[in-house]
Amino acid sequence: MESIGVLMICPMNSYLEQELDKRFKLFRYWNIPQTQQFLKENSNSIRAVVGNSMAGADAQLIESLPKLEIVSSFSVGLDKIDLNKCKEKGIRVTNTPDVLTEDVADLAIGLMLAVLRRLCECDRYVRKGLWKTGDFKLTTKFTGKSVGIIGLGRIGTAIAKRAEAFDCPISYYSRSEKADTNYKYYPSVIDLASNCQILVVACSLTPETRHIINREVIDALGPKGVLINIGRGPHVDEAELVSALVEGRLGGAGLDVFENEPEAPEELFGLDNVVLLPHVGSGTIETRTAMADLVLGNLEAHFLNKPLLTPVV
Amino acid sequence: MAQIHTNQTLSVNLPEVLVLGPPSIFRIYEKHLSQKFMLLKPWESPIPLEEFLSIHAQNTTAVLTSSVVAYLSSALRLLPSVRLVVTSSVGLDHIDLKECRRRGISVAYAPSVFSADVANLAVGLWVDVLRKISAANCFLKTGLWPVKGDYPLATKLGGKRVGIIGLGRIGREVAKRLEAFGSKISYQSREKKPSVSYPFYTDVCELASNSDVLIICCALNDQTYHLINREVLQALGRQGVIINAARGAIIDEKALVQFLQEGKIAGAGLDVFEHEPNVPEELLELDNVVFSPHSAVFTEESCKDLYDLVVGNLKAFFSNKPLLSPVQFDDFMR
């Protein structure tokens, strides 16, 4: 398979990169100074694209790769791939579900605890020697707070299971009510936000869910409410969120994703009720290795005419 | 003629309580407490404590104390009439229980008010240390993400072997949460718990050799002082992490500092220290340590619950009713 051209869109994992280099003819898109020229010269040999949550395969790229057969994403989210275009052209698409579910759910709970119990601020307080001047202020108990989950898929369900263990009542919003769960269902995001104290975004990003967290929802969540986003930056109207937090109209936020990564709103940097993480939801050694193995496994399966491991299209 | 209710008049009828510390609930509830009890507050007096007690507290029957009153035993020796000590803590290491029993002094504490909050903090520190939440938040807020690129990878929580030291109320709450994260749980305790199916170890070292993470949930007493020593840390190993939201003195702090500095264990989440509020300076340079200023119980909700319990115990005492949360001496004095 060493002659099969694979285009890797951006740096994402050195183990994955090394293995792709070993097994295929790897092109590193981010190292190419003149991409138009490159694509003209090499498009006939590129049969696979490997992307991630930052960049995948949009219509333009797909059109410029006439021999493209498969897009294998180093992510579970598919928002950076033009799925319709892929379907149209018979291009296969794979992602990395399941292997990262636990890590993302763990981080969601970590963010809830970090925001409510001010873990990061407490750490700073001690490091700056402020404990010698007095105790830290009272924080907020997590147990007993109602947790509202947007999207009760794999990740949403895993978050619910963990929050339940802390004795938090669970409610959710989903496109349709799930038959096999005892959690309370709300038919709209506003209803959910009005009836919970911690709202978590755990659905996929589609044109329908863009800015699902808007001014109205933020107002419904209110000055004692906390927003946790482990989905995608564009799920949230970031400008509205920033002004709500700065003005105290929202009680707090834990965010792992932003509209324009790696940029994050500087106005939030000084707020002690806001925890900001640099998109580390699946960022553990174990999980990234498992994700890489899925990408490699899917590519090999495709080029050996075997069934794909985790196909989406 | 209308009766004029002055504070003075009201105070005369209120039962007297000597306050030592003062306990943290004072921050919010001092006024509420002084409406229900005549509070003796030695720190407001210019005279030394001993003198204050000799003059003002000879007839005082009830003492309200926090857990950071190390001089409690010597104070009690100067109080001939004390029949009740109410501590605003679950920890009892600051109270000479033997002496209280001998003198017929009842002790009331706060056994379960904080259990959820302490468990939540211990678990929060565990997630923070392994997933580097505080460190990554700091990285982002100091503007490094666009400059340095992706944050280094952290460690997965799921499937890790967690050893819980002490499976009392707090230990069991921790275990319940960890099960939801997919942890493999074992424990060490004075005795095996018959209703619990987790693997049991009598020896902390053996528990440590079979764990990726140790979470300390036991009380501080003579048997547990420096329970986590060099041997245990060595057994825990280079990939091991230790979480302590119990009492600082359960860990040999000098040994812990050395092991962390030399990379002989992978990290620590610490809410308590041997000499609070002082924290070993050497640890401040390490980003695999997460600090917390003994704040495991300090939430608004627990503070309110604690206030209600303290008042409930004092009221019960003064009306000759059974205490709400008395210490059963036999449970603590083996």
Side-chain angles (χ1 to χ4, degrees):
Chain A
M1 287 191 239
E2 290 106 4
S3 58
I4 298 175
V6 174
L7 181 66
M8 193 178 196
I9 301 296
C10 57
M12 53 189 80
N13 182 272
S14 29
Y15 160 68
L16 176 60
E17 203 180 308
Q18 277 159 29
E19 287 300 311
L20 286 171
D21 212 11
K22 266 193 229 165
R23 305 180 202 192
F24 302 98
K25 181 159 193 238
L26 180 64
F27 297 96
R28 294 173 176 79
Y29 200 51
W30 67 94
N31 281 341
I32 292 155
Q34 311 272 21
T35 51
Q36 299 270 42
Q37 187 64 23
F38 163 81
L39 288 171
K40 264 207 207 135
E41 290 169 9
N42 294 283
S43 56
N44 278 331
S45 54
I46 293 172
R47 294 167 64 188
V49 162
V50 172
N52 69 355
S53 60
M54 298 287 275
D58 59 12
Q60 201 189 11
L61 183 70
I62 293 168
E63 286 295 354
S64 61
L65 296 171
K67 300 288 199 231
L68 183 61
E69 296 168 27
I70 178 169
V71 176
S72 189
S73 194
F74 184 71
S75 70
V76 65
L78 298 159
D79 45 286
K80 289 290 201 263
I81 300 173
D82 191 327
L83 294 173
N84 286 330
K85 194 62 109 166
C86 290
K87 279 184 197 141
E88 199 190 290
K89 291 183 167 278
I91 295 169
R92 307 305 305 276
V93 177
T94 69
N95 62 350
T96 61
D98 298 313
V99 294
L100 49 65
T101 300
E102 289 182 349
D103 269 2
V104 178
D106 293 346
L107 196 81
I109 301 294
L111 280 169
M112 290 179 206
L113 286 164
V115 174
L116 268 75
R117 297 298 299 268
R118 299 288 194 268
L119 295 181
C120 310
E121 286 310 305
C122 280
D123 179 70
R124 269 184 88 214
Y125 191 76
V126 175
R127 286 175 181 279
K128 287 167 80 170
L130 293 170
W131 193 12
K132 298 180 208 196
T133 65
D135 282 335
F136 194 77
K137 60 189 175 184
L138 294 178
T139 59
T140 305
K141 186 170 182 166
F142 178 44
T143 290
K145 295 292 179 294
S146 48
V147 174
I149 304 174
I150 299 175
L152 206 65
R154 286 171 292 242
I155 294 173
T157 302
I159 293 173
K161 177 175 159 198
R162 283 151 178 73
E164 267 193 303
F166 288 81
D167 295 314
C168 293
I170 311 291
S171 47
Y172 72 102
Y173 162 77
S174 200
R175 276 169 302 190
S176 56
E177 192 168 356
K178 309 269 174 185
D180 55 349
T181 159
N182 288 330
Y183 305 136
K184 180 147 174 59
Y185 174 71
Y186 285 97
S188 76
V189 180
I190 292 265
D191 281 347
L192 182 67
S194 313
N195 289 288
C196 72
Q197 290 155 302
I198 302 172
L199 184 64
V200 193
V201 181
C203 58
S204 56
L205 180 65
T206 64
E208 293 75 45
T209 62
R210 186 181 176 276
H211 283 197
I212 195 170
I213 306 297
N214 55 20
R215 168 86 190 222
E216 268 188 303
V217 172
I218 292 170
D219 284 345
L221 193 49
K224 290 206 184 295
V226 171
L227 177 72
I228 304 291
N229 191 6
I230 44 84
R232 285 286 181 265
H235 276 127
V236 176
D237 182 338
E238 205 161 275
E240 285 292 350
L241 177 66
V242 169
S243 59
L245 286 165
V246 164
E247 292 166 26
R249 289 181 286 111
L250 181 64
L255 311 171
D256 186 43
V257 286
F258 306 88
E259 289 208 87
N260 193 26
E261 297 171 19
E263 303 296 331
E266 282 188 26
E267 304 93 309
L268 302 182
F269 288 12
L271 300 182
D272 76 347
N273 56 341
V274 177
V275 175
L276 304 174
L277 297 179
H279 203 150
V280 293
S282 63
T284 66
I285 297 169
E286 296 92 329
T287 293
R288 291 286 169 85
T289 305
M291 288 164 67
D293 286 339
L294 258 186
V295 169
L296 295 163
N298 274 303
L299 289 174
E300 290 204 332
H302 172 75
F303 291 114
L304 293 174
N305 284 315
K306 293 204 178 121
L308 297 180
L309 305 179
T310 47
V312 176
V313 171
Chain B
M1 191 167 24
Q3 204 170 9
I4 299 165
H5 289 283
T6 62
N7 275 344
Q8 195 64 36
T9 314
L10 285 173
S11 301
V12 163
N13 297 322
L14 294 178
E16 195 177 77
V17 177
L18 169 69
V19 184
L20 299 176
S24 54
I25 49 170
F26 250 55
R27 278 200 284 185
I28 303 183
Y29 293 105
E30 180 174 350
K31 196 153 164 229
H32 302 75
L33 284 165
S34 40
Q35 282 162 0
K36 297 187 193 309
F37 306 102
M38 167 66 184
L39 302 176
L40 292 180
K41 296 179 266 183
W43 63 88
E44 286 184 353
S45 165
I47 61 176
L49 178 67
E50 274 192 32
E51 222 184 300
F52 181 94
L53 297 182
S54 320
I55 297 171
H56 299 288
Q58 294 303 290
N59 295 324
T60 308
T61 54
V63 175
L64 171 60
T65 182
S66 75
S67 62
V68 295
V69 175
Y71 54 86
L72 179 63
S73 296
S74 30
L76 286 180
R77 264 177 243 128
L78 300 172
L79 300 168
S81 308
V82 168
R83 310 244 50 73
L84 172 70
V85 171
V86 178
T87 181
S88 63
S89 62
V90 57
L92 295 168
D93 45 283
H94 56 303
I95 302 180
D96 186 342
L97 294 176
K98 222 164 146 187
E99 182 63 10
C100 285
R101 174 140 88 170
R102 189 190 71 75
R103 282 180 60 182
I105 298 174
S106 301
V107 180
Y109 68 141
S112 54
V113 158
F114 310 119
S115 306
D117 270 339
V118 179
N120 292 350
L121 190 81
V123 174
L125 286 174
W126 170 65
V127 180
D128 195 331
V129 174
L130 267 76
R131 294 299 300 269
K132 302 186 200 280
I133 293 179
S134 287
N137 172 66
C138 187
F139 171 85
L140 192 155
K141 287 184 176 183
T142 46
L144 293 174
W145 195 12
V147 174
K148 287 197 159 182
D150 284 342
Y151 194 73
L153 296 180
T155 307
K156 187 181 164 98
L157 302 177
K160 292 289 184 302
R161 302 166 302 165
V162 181
I164 301 178
I165 297 172
L167 208 68
R169 271 178 214 89
I170 294 172
R172 286 195 299 272
E173 292 285 337
V174 169
K176 177 170 120 183
R177 287 146 175 73
L178 292 181
E179 278 201 57
F181 285 87
S183 303
K184 299 196 179 91
I185 299 167
S186 319
Y187 71 105
Q188 183 271 349
S189 199
R190 274 175 306 196
E191 288 159 358
K192 191 173 189 326
K193 310 277 176 183
S195 53
V196 162
S197 58
Y198 311 129
F200 168 70
Y201 291 84
T202 41
D203 176 43
V204 177
C205 248
E206 229 194 302
L207 177 71
S209 337
N210 290 293
S211 299
D212 303 305
V213 182
L214 284 180
I215 304 189
I216 303 174
C217 300
C218 61
L220 173 64
N221 52 43
D222 292 334
Q223 290 80 46
T224 62
Y225 174 78
H226 281 198
L227 178 68
I228 309 302
N229 55 20
R230 289 207 140 67
E231 218 193 317
V232 173
L233 292 171
Q234 188 73 30
L236 183 59
R238 293 197 162 270
Q239 309 295 331
V241 165
I242 187 151
I243 306 295
N244 190 7
R247 284 288 180 269
I250 295 171
I251 302 183
D252 176 347
E253 201 160 275
K254 282 208 176 75
L256 178 67
V257 170
Q258 190 198 344
F259 270 69
L260 282 164
Q261 278 185 304
E262 295 175 14
K264 288 184 174 161
I265 63 169
L270 308 169
D271 184 46
V272 286
F273 304 84
E274 290 209 74
H275 306 287
E276 297 170 14
N278 295 307
V279 155
E281 302 271 315
E282 305 91 315
L283 295 185
L284 297 175
E285 294 155 32
L286 304 177
D287 73 348
N288 57 344
V289 179
V290 178
F291 297 93
S292 180
H294 201 150
S295 57
V297 308
F298 289 142
T299 64
E300 291 183 359
E301 294 85 341
S302 278
C303 206
K304 168 82 178 40
D305 290 345
L306 178 60
Y307 164 76
D308 288 342
L309 184 64
V310 161
V311 168
N313 274 305
L314 286 168
K315 276 192 167 157
F317 171 74
F318 288 119
S319 41
N320 284 315
K321 296 211 175 99
L323 295 175
L324 301 183
S325 50
V327 169
Q328 306 293 351
F329 291 111
D330 287 335
D331 289 346
F332 292 94
M333 289 162 46
R334 310 260 180 97

